[in-house]
Amino acid sequence: MRALGGLAALTLTGLAVAAAYMGLRSLGLRPRWEVAAPAASPAPELESRMPPPLSPQGVASDGPGAGGEGDPSPSEGGRAAPYEAARIEFETYGDGRPVESNSAVAEEWRDQGLVLSFQSYTADATRPHVLDARGYLPPTASMHALGPPLSGEQGLEVGMTHLDFPGRPRRAAFSLFGPDLIESFLVIVWSGGERLPEAAATHSPDTRYGTDGNPDAGQATYSPGGRARFRAERVVVEVAAGIDRISLDGWGPPGHILLVDHLEIVP
């Protein structure tokens, strides 16, 4: 009889618990184990690495800043106020001071129509350097050249050097130095906010420098300081609508150094 009494008590307790449970559900309350786990929030998308924005365009003396109607913006296919023709050797800054070897540069030649920047996925540097490049240039070349930033004692960073032209000239020409194992130095030309075909930049041997190795190769090659053979090219860019930017792609593969000198800007 005692066992039957205990069983009846357990039955009544169970019925009470069940009634309470159903009562809570009728009120909209649900135990944690019945609630579906919240969906995992999607991982935030990584910011795409875009080239740095173009430098501000020049303003003509009759432009909006002077109260008149200026040239249309680059996005409209027009050209900014022309600068005078300039030649930049990277031995002196735009104000005539001698350059400081292995120093970062950006707007030192703005008055001559040139603004510089650097872009890399592996480095924090945003400005290229004026390098003491005698270890990479032909023996008869000058001392300095524009190149990627120094990376402490590890050499040079790998990335893209951007040459912006606020005056949007129709023509730019420069000497480009890099390893001869790179079949084609990639020069990217931008105009009116659009990337132009590679044919917008023409490459030819820079004949001011002698040919090392095979004189019939049609290239100006040399071996700097016992290093592997380098090549000197003369690059000419001509765009009737005006040049916004020239980007020098040193990513490769493989990643490689590209040095610039003897820059000429023609409005």
Side-chain angles (χ1 to χ4, degrees):
M1 294 296 291
R2 183 179 299 175
L4 290 174
L7 181 59
L10 288 174
T11 301
L12 291 173
T13 302
L15 291 173
V17 171
Y21 173 71
M22 296 303 294
L24 291 173
R25 285 181 59 88
S26 67
L27 295 175
L29 300 176
R30 300 178 63 189
R32 186 173 59 183
W33 59 82
E34 289 189 2
V35 178
S41 57
E45 295 185 3
L46 295 177
E47 277 189 25
S48 59
R49 295 179 180 262
M50 299 296 290
L54 295 173
S55 60
Q57 304 297 320
V59 178
S61 58
D62 60 347
E69 294 185 1
D71 293 328
S73 66
S75 60
E76 296 171 341
R79 300 180 65 247
Y83 286 59
E84 294 182 359
R87 182 181 179 90
I88 300 173
E89 294 289 346
F90 298 108
E91 295 295 333
T92 60
Y93 297 119
D95 59 7
R97 292 178 296 120
V99 298
E100 179 181 346
S101 295
N102 306 325
S103 62
V105 289
E107 301 211 6
E108 285 77 358
W109 292 275
R110 176 178 279 278
D111 288 345
Q112 285 72 42
L114 175 68
V115 178
L116 304 165
S117 61
F118 181 78
Q119 177 192 11
S120 175
Y121 300 111
T122 58
D124 295 329
T126 58
R127 296 186 294 169
H129 281 194
V130 170
L131 300 169
D132 180 345
R134 287 174 290 183
Y136 298 96
L137 296 176
T140 56
S142 54
M143 176 177 175
H144 295 99
L146 179 71
L150 289 169
S151 177
E153 298 179 356
Q154 304 300 318
L156 298 169
E157 300 286 6
V158 175
M160 297 183 69
T161 300
H162 300 292
L163 287 70
D164 284 3
F165 300 91
R168 307 192 72 238
R170 292 186 175 93
R171 185 180 190 274
F174 53 92
S175 296
L176 194 57
F177 306 88
D180 192 41
L181 62 87
I182 304 300
E183 182 177 353
S184 177
F185 299 149
L186 181 55
V187 176
I188 303 170
V189 181
W190 299 83
S191 177
E194 296 183 356
R195 177 173 172 168
L196 301 185
E198 291 186 24
T202 59
H203 301 244
S204 61
D206 194 330
T207 56
R208 79 190 75 196
Y209 301 111
T211 298
D212 180 18
N214 181 4
D216 299 323
Q219 297 179 344
T221 56
Y222 60 96
S223 298
R227 289 186 171 88
R229 194 164 63 174
F230 269 50
R231 183 170 75 249
E233 293 184 351
R234 190 67 179 168
V235 180
V236 178
V237 177
E238 292 185 288
V239 181
I243 304 166
D244 293 341
R245 165 181 287 172
I246 297 175
S247 300
L248 310 175
D249 190 346
W251 281 111
H256 56 279
I257 182 175
L258 286 176
L259 300 172
V260 180
D261 204 2
H262 315 308
L263 172 63
E264 297 177 0
I265 304 172
V266 181

